[in-house]
Amino acid sequence: MVTKVLCVAEKPSIAKAVANHLSGNQVIIRNVTGNVYTKNYEFHYNFATWGNCDVVMTSVAGHLLSHDFATQYRSWRSCDPSALFEATIDTFVEEGKKAISKNIEVQARYAQILYIWTDCDREGENIGSEIRDVATKINRRLRDPGKTVRARFSNIERAHIIEAARNPVPLDDAQANAVASRIELDLRIGASFTRNLTLSIQHMLQGEEKRVVSYGSCQFPTLGFVVERYFRVRNFLPEPFWTIKVMHEQEGIKVNFRWARNHLFDRMVAVILFERCLEAKTAKVTKVSTKPTSKWKPLPLTTVELQKCGSRFLRMDSHRVMQLAEQLYQKGWISYPRTETDQFDRGMDLRALVHKQIQGGPWRQFAQGLLNGGFSAPRNGRNNDKAHPPIHPVNFVDPSVLTHEEQRVHEFVVRRFLACCSQDARGSKTEISILYGIEMFSTSGLVVLERNYLDVYPYDKWTSSQDLPNFREGEVFEPTEARIQDGRTSPPGYLTEPELISLMDANGIGTDATMAEHIAKIKERAYVETRPRGRQPRRDDEDVSENEQPFEPEPARGRGRGRATGRGRGGRDGGNARDGGNSGVQEFIPTTLGVALIEGYENMGFEISLAKPFLRKEMELKMKAICEGRKTSREVVQETIDQYRAVYARTQQRLDVLRAVRSPRNASSWDILLIVK
DNA sequence: GCAAGGTC
């Protein structure tokens, strides 16, 4: 008898791709009643493990099961919110997922093998266990050893998929359990704190009665970043500094030289050094060098990068960018938009993808140029989620069939991809150093020789500077002008969306798919407000000379106070230098309520601060411990709940004080701030 | 009315 194998992927696109590879196009496609996205692919396949099989390949759409408190706890006033720490949690299939789960049941009934093809990450392992739960309920034999397996795959390239089909492995229950703990903790802690905060504070807030004051393990650290920057701006103390400016005019060109010491915070010292320069009268050219330089093309596009670029270049918030990318993906124009991978797989035929783009669009000729010899393999970044390639166009679409907003995101994706397949920009950089007294000064100039990728990627700026006059090494001249100039350090700017995303990314707050949602959530909750950043006034500590090339300028805003440098950024990208041209990008300012919440929890004196990103990191460590068998999921849930109970109790005390002291009528968010402090 | 994580 032929073995029946039921394969289930995490999403329809994977089911389709895998079915295509395994079936050799001998496939029957059936619709699934009640869900327009899910399809069943029926074909034959000779598995190394089970021989010739009848295969049904289908998919779920993310998690199949939902979790919520038992019905008696659902109403907000049904119980004390702290009861949710131990309330019964029901697991069920939500209405919208019933058709998919029914399909699994029907297909699993006579299957001998359940073959899970979810993404190879923790969530995927958990989704796999949900699929197994549904299938084994109908068909208990699938619980027997070796009857439920999963595929290990890291991309959907043909040879790789066939290799994965050859080597099924067991589902990793430890990983699935780790996620189960995460789900339970987020639900219990989020719901209990949210109900408690809302029911205690709501009536004191102006505006709508229905305002929710929520706590979430991702919302709060996100808000925390905004508040922290806010205070860094507010508490900033400008510090005076002094610098020496040297200008020399040669061949009719005015050249400004930068002091090697940049600036000093001690006026006396600066004046003494300046006087020594004047005493020397002449300056001597110590170095003239001209070297080739290049500006690297961008890395393949990840979700986080797409969101940051959306804010910077398209003036769209990250949430909107993701919505549009999702639409473009579903219409089949771009690849899967949720990816951490910034490396293209070797097996991918990138030239074929470039070829599709010669059909039209303003990038048509550039794409043709790549095919005519301009092509260069993309750079490899450091990240690979082993599930999805970088975001790239998969088909040509006439821009006129897209909405205006779709067009802009699509154009960015296409241009980014073509830039990746192009060559670095090349230039020539000249550096001139002089010794004036015993002080060093320098200037530099740039000539762009080959624009290459820049021609298709207008989001990067790299332009030739003014020509430098000829200086000879050893040449001595009397500078046209030398003066001492004072200035003050200026505060960093409020947090921008690209910066916030970088911080979340670096601290593991949210995932590529959810970061934008957390940001949208804290706006919706009125914890923060956004406004377009106006053009920053030119800072006086900014050494912008006319012949300075814009290549790798000093970090944008917020150069610190000399010793205590700058802001706490931990991102890979932490304040990309390209921020230079981003007037109009949104900046985040916390509301009084947002500040009150963070301050309130920060000042509680616990070793765990709900506002800081450590908690999420700790959660990550605990999940790892479960995965490696060092802890059980029960232990982790129990000890974490105990920690939060302590914080909850303390919160409760303060909220009680707050309620007692103020009558609802004349209280304001400021009162909350004062009292929780 | 609540979280965060998948996904359409």
Side-chain angles (χ1 to χ4, degrees):
Chain A
M1 204 185 85
V2 185
T3 306
K4 290 190 193 313
V5 176
L6 173 60
C7 298
V8 187
E10 184 164 323
K11 45 188 162 272
S13 58
I14 297 289
K16 181 180 179 180
V18 174
N20 275 340
H21 290 325
L22 298 187
S23 67
N25 293 329
Q26 297 286 311
V27 59
I28 299 168
I29 306 174
R30 294 193 196 279
N31 288 321
V32 171
T33 322
N35 188 300
V36 289
Y37 301 102
T38 316
K39 303 250 187 294
N40 292 344
Y41 300 86
E42 301 178 3
F43 54 92
H44 303 291
Y45 191 73
N46 190 348
F47 283 101
T49 323
W50 313 290
N52 272 320
C53 298
D54 284 342
V55 184
V56 175
M57 176 96 218
T58 187
S59 67
V60 290
H63 283 284
L64 192 53
L65 303 180
S66 298
H67 310 268
D68 202 353
F69 299 106
T71 44
Q72 66 265 37
Y73 300 101
R74 299 266 171 99
S75 156
W76 279 40
R77 295 184 186 274
S78 65
C79 63
D80 188 286
S82 65
L84 301 179
F85 286 128
E86 65 259 16
T88 312
I89 292 176
D90 287 343
T91 297
F92 54 95
V93 178
E94 226 174 50
E95 210 46 53
K97 296 281 172 79
K98 286 251 167 81
I100 293 174
S101 97
K102 182 78 194 159
N103 181 49
I104 304 266
E105 290 176 8
V106 170
Q107 300 302 331
R109 183 175 295 272
Y110 300 109
Q112 277 96 48
I113 300 293
L114 175 61
Y115 203 167
I116 308 281
W117 286 76
T118 49
D119 291 356
C120 290
D121 51 26
R122 277 198 304 245
E123 293 293 333
E125 222 60 28
N126 183 272
I127 292 168
S129 80
E130 294 178 351
I131 295 165
R132 181 181 55 191
D133 286 351
V134 169
T136 55
K137 222 159 149 186
I138 285 291
N139 181 348
R140 294 193 61 90
R141 287 173 320 233
L142 292 174
R143 286 187 205 184
D144 295 344
K147 299 303 178 192
T148 293
V149 291
R150 77 118 64 239
R152 280 255 156 246
F153 63 106
S154 57
N155 62 68
I156 52 167
E157 198 259 320
R158 176 180 217 97
H160 183 73
I161 288 299
I162 288 170
E163 184 61 20
R166 203 194 310 274
N167 298 297
V169 298
L171 260 183
D172 186 341
D173 283 299
Q175 284 194 59
N177 288 338
V179 171
S181 308
R182 197 265 308 149
I183 291 170
E184 181 175 347
L185 287 168
D186 280 338
L187 176 60
R188 290 193 187 283
I189 297 163
S192 57
F193 276 73
T194 299
R195 285 189 194 179
N196 193 25
L197 278 172
T198 304
L199 296 176
S200 309
I201 294 180
Q202 189 179 59
H203 61 284
M204 302 178 194
L205 299 174
Q206 295 101 338
E208 308 139 65
E209 279 291 291
K210 287 274 179 190
R211 275 256 294 266
V212 169
V213 185
S214 59
Y215 169 80
S217 57
C218 289
Q219 292 175 28
F220 255 53
T222 304
L223 172 60
F225 291 131
V226 175
V227 172
E228 195 207 34
R229 176 65 71 83
Y230 172 76
F231 278 113
R232 206 174 297 186
V233 174
R234 290 287 299 265
N235 298 335
F236 183 82
L237 292 175
E239 210 175 339
F241 61 73
W242 291 266
T243 185
I244 300 174
K245 299 268 181 188
V246 174
M247 189 275 283
H248 186 61
E249 186 169 344
Q250 182 139 317
E251 299 163 28
I253 302 169
K254 289 179 175 173
V255 182
N256 290 303
F257 289 90
R258 242 193 327 267
W259 193 15
R261 296 181 200 269
N262 197 13
H263 53 238
L264 293 180
F265 291 96
D266 187 324
R267 181 171 180 277
M268 274 309 294
V269 176
V271 168
I272 289 168
L273 295 174
F274 176 59
E275 281 171 354
R276 289 204 191 153
C277 291
L278 295 184
E279 281 161 18
K281 288 220 167 50
T282 56
K284 182 177 178 185
V285 178
T286 54
K287 189 184 101 181
V288 178
S289 76
T290 298
K291 286 184 199 155
T293 181
S294 56
K295 184 167 175 64
W296 288 359
K297 60 188 180 182
L299 285 170
L301 187 60
T302 62
T303 304
V304 165
E305 180 71 5
L306 172 65
Q307 293 177 352
K308 287 196 274 192
C309 290
S311 299
R312 273 200 197 110
F313 306 135
L314 309 179
R315 305 274 172 271
M316 275 181 203
D317 70 47
S318 54
H319 197 236
R320 186 73 192 132
V321 170
M322 286 309 291
Q323 286 175 338
L324 294 161
E326 179 67 30
Q327 288 170 26
L328 292 166
Y329 161 67
Q330 282 182 39
K331 291 179 188 169
W333 308 131
I334 66 171
S335 64
Y336 193 67
R338 290 178 282 275
T339 174
E340 295 171 26
T341 307
D342 49 15
Q343 317 169 340
F344 279 106
D345 211 79
R346 279 179 229 296
M348 255 177 91
D349 190 352
L350 299 174
R351 278 192 174 80
L353 292 169
V354 173
H355 190 262
K356 290 180 199 267
Q357 299 303 327
I358 65 173
Q359 296 174 57
W363 50 80
R364 182 184 70 235
Q365 287 194 336
F366 189 89
Q368 185 64 59
L370 292 184
L371 296 177
N372 294 347
F375 183 89
S376 164
R379 294 165 55 200
N380 274 345
R382 288 194 203 135
N383 307 291
N384 198 325
D385 63 17
K386 306 276 183 178
H388 309 284
I391 304 169
H392 62 276
V394 293
N395 265 310
F396 175 76
V397 55
D398 186 337
S400 66
V401 308
L402 302 175
T403 67
H404 179 64
E405 280 187 303
E406 284 174 343
Q407 273 179 36
R408 296 177 66 218
V409 173
H410 177 257
E411 174 165 358
F412 176 75
V413 171
V414 175
R415 287 184 180 276
R416 174 75 169 223
F417 172 70
L418 295 175
C420 286
C421 295
S422 178
Q423 293 176 34
D424 297 343
R426 312 257 172 231
S428 165
K429 184 180 182 180
T430 299
E431 285 188 55
I432 298 166
S433 301
I434 60 171
L435 189 64
Y436 187 23
I438 55 166
E439 293 304 302
M440 298 279 296
F441 298 83
S442 67
T443 190
S444 62
L446 172 74
V447 180
V448 176
L449 300 171
E450 297 172 38
R451 288 181 48 78
N452 294 331
Y453 89 89
L454 292 169
D455 282 333
V456 79
Y457 198 70
Y459 317 101
D460 274 0
K461 303 273 179 272
W462 205 51
T463 47
S464 297
S465 63
Q466 175 201 35
D467 282 340
L468 289 177
N470 285 309
F471 282 99
R472 288 186 326 275
E473 217 165 287
E475 181 179 342
V476 173
F477 62 87
E478 190 171 341
T480 313
E481 190 183 311
R483 62 197 166 85
I484 193 159
Q485 189 185 323
D486 60 353
R488 289 158 82 80
T489 53
S490 52
Y494 294 113
L495 206 62
T496 64
E497 187 158 20
E499 289 171 332
L500 180 53
I501 291 169
S502 292
L503 285 169
M504 294 173 74
D505 187 30
N507 288 282
I509 307 300
T511 67
D512 50 4
T514 60
M515 279 188 285
E517 289 173 27
H518 300 312
I519 296 173
K521 185 71 83 184
I522 63 171
K523 284 194 223 174
E524 181 194 328
R525 294 277 186 258
Y527 298 163
V528 301
E529 282 166 3
T530 57
R531 64 175 193 203
R533 165 172 286 175
R535 262 203 106 63
Q536 295 273 304
R538 224 247 247 164
R539 290 197 322 274
D540 30 14
D541 66 333
E542 206 165 24
D543 233 340
V544 182
S545 53
E546 283 145 70
N547 58 6
E548 183 181 285
Q549 42 131 330
F551 182 46
E552 295 187 295
E554 302 262 327
R557 295 158 312 286
R559 215 174 327 152
R561 315 174 43 193
R563 4 196 151 122
T565 41
R567 40 210 160 124
R569 53 162 99 102
R572 297 173 202 152
D573 160 59
N576 190 314
R578 283 193 296 261
D579 270 1
N582 74 358
S583 66
V585 75
Q586 297 286 308
E587 59 185 15
F588 287 66
I589 296 158
T591 60
T592 317
L593 174 61
V595 170
L597 290 169
I598 294 300
E599 290 277 284
Y601 280 109
E602 230 168 38
N603 290 311
M604 274 195 194
F606 279 102
E607 68 280 15
I608 55 174
S609 166
L610 265 51
K612 291 277 190 285
F614 316 138
L615 276 188
R616 197 75 207 175
K617 286 237 166 97
E618 215 173 282
M619 173 72 123
E620 189 60 32
L621 293 177
K622 288 173 178 173
M623 285 173 61
K624 263 209 178 103
I626 298 174
C627 290
E628 291 163 8
R630 286 181 281 115
K631 277 189 175 163
T632 68
S633 51
R634 275 299 8 119
E635 283 168 357
V636 165
V637 170
Q638 205 48 58
E639 72 181 41
T640 309
I641 290 287
D642 288 345
Q643 283 180 322
Y644 277 86
R645 263 186 218 280
V647 182
Y648 185 96
R650 189 68 177 276
T651 311
Q652 188 60 58
Q653 286 172 12
R654 294 188 179 209
L655 290 172
D656 289 344
V657 173
L658 185 61
R659 243 186 311 233
V661 172
R662 291 284 165 181
S663 75
R665 284 283 150 240
N666 46 31
S668 74
S669 304
W670 282 115
D671 296 306
I672 300 172
L673 175 58
L674 293 176
I675 292 165
V676 291
K677 269 180 126 168

